[in-house]
Amino acid sequence: TISPTAIKEVMRPDLFGNIVILPNHHFMTTAYNSTQKRLSFYDSEGKFIETKGEYPEYGEILTPFEKIEGLSCYATLSPDKNGIFLFYKQTDLIELYDIYGNLKKRIQGPDLFFPVIKQTIQDESINGRVYVLYSGIYFNRENHKYLKDQLLVFDDKGNPLQRYTLDSPIFTFTINPTTNKLYGLSDNPEFHVIEYQL
């Protein structure tokens, strides 16, 4: 068995994406640190053992953020418990490792698709203001709603300034600081861009 304390000690979002319990009662996590290899291995008490597995390459040099975000994946133990599958979220790539972190097979889909994630650097605030989406709805695990129709605006000291109610809920956005226009994404009824003049 694995000590609950052991898992709690490594459960920091900067360290891993998810956990796979191994047959020898050790556990493996997908690393969220681009200076490490792909997989991090720990013993049953949470003591770090090693990282193994290279990130896949596709011909471009990636920043650490681009590598972590563009090559994020789900990990699961194979049905025979002799391997670890990685299913990439933004590519048509599947990898199979043995339970020691050695790559056994890399399966690329027919489109040979690799993500093009480009990091852009900008201030966290826009014109000295911070914009936050808010739903005002209590979280419901069975009916999780991630589209939000409230936009809250704060100054750089955290004081509330404005509250907008959006006609169409969105799940992410950006703001053009020159025109003061918000561009939001929604997937209801299908993916589309919504423009608001603030």
Side-chain angles (χ1 to χ4, degrees), residues 153-192:
V153 185
F154 300 88
D155 67 15
D156 57 0
K157 297 195 176 8
N159 298 311
L161 298 177
Q162 290 173 295
R163 177 181 184 160
Y164 294 96
T165 300
L166 308 177
D167 295 337
S168 298
I170 57 177
F171 62 86
T172 190
F173 68 95
T174 189
I175 294 175
N176 184 327
T178 306
T179 63
N180 206 31
K181 286 186 177 179
L182 176 146
Y183 297 92
L185 291 180
S186 176
D187 65 352
N188 187 14
E190 58 188 25
F191 281 98
H192 61 283

Side-chain angles (χ1 to χ4, degrees), residues 31-152:
Y32 265 12
N33 182 341
S34 65
T35 63
Q36 297 176 344
K37 295 190 182 291
R38 195 74 193 97
L39 309 173
S40 298
F41 290 84
Y42 299 84
D43 70 13
S44 60
E45 295 302 314
K47 182 180 175 187
F48 173 75
I49 299 171
E50 64 180 332
T51 59
K52 294 193 75 173
E54 301 293 336
Y55 279 89
E57 297 289 338
Y58 68 102
E60 288 187 30
I61 296 175
L62 303 176
T63 68
F65 174 82
E66 290 169 344
K67 187 178 282 190
I68 290 170
E69 182 65 21
L71 301 173
S72 63
C73 60
Y74 293 107
T76 188
L77 197 62
S78 64
D80 63 6
K81 301 190 184 327
N82 289 323
I84 302 162
F85 279 102
L86 297 187
F87 299 97
Y88 284 80
K89 298 177 185 177
Q90 300 192 45
T91 75
D92 57 353
L93 180 65
I94 298 171
E95 292 177 326
L96 175 61
Y97 291 82
D98 66 20
I99 60 170
Y100 306 104
N102 302 306
L103 181 65
K104 300 308 250 179
K105 193 171 193 178
R106 189 171 271 161
I107 306 161
Q108 186 79 47
D111 297 325
L112 301 177
F113 171 70
F114 277 94
V116 180
I117 302 289
K118 291 297 176 193
Q119 179 179 359
T120 58
I121 307 297
Q122 65 182 35
D123 291 336
E124 290 296 316
S125 62
I126 300 165
N127 296 331
R129 297 179 176 196
V130 177
Y131 296 80
V132 181
L133 283 176
Y134 176 67
S135 69
I137 300 170
Y138 284 104
F139 178 75
N140 181 337
R141 189 175 304 278
E142 284 76 34
N143 187 22
H144 177 56
K145 295 182 179 177
Y146 60 91
L147 293 175
K148 299 169 180 64
D149 65 354
Q150 306 288 316
L151 181 72
L152 306 179

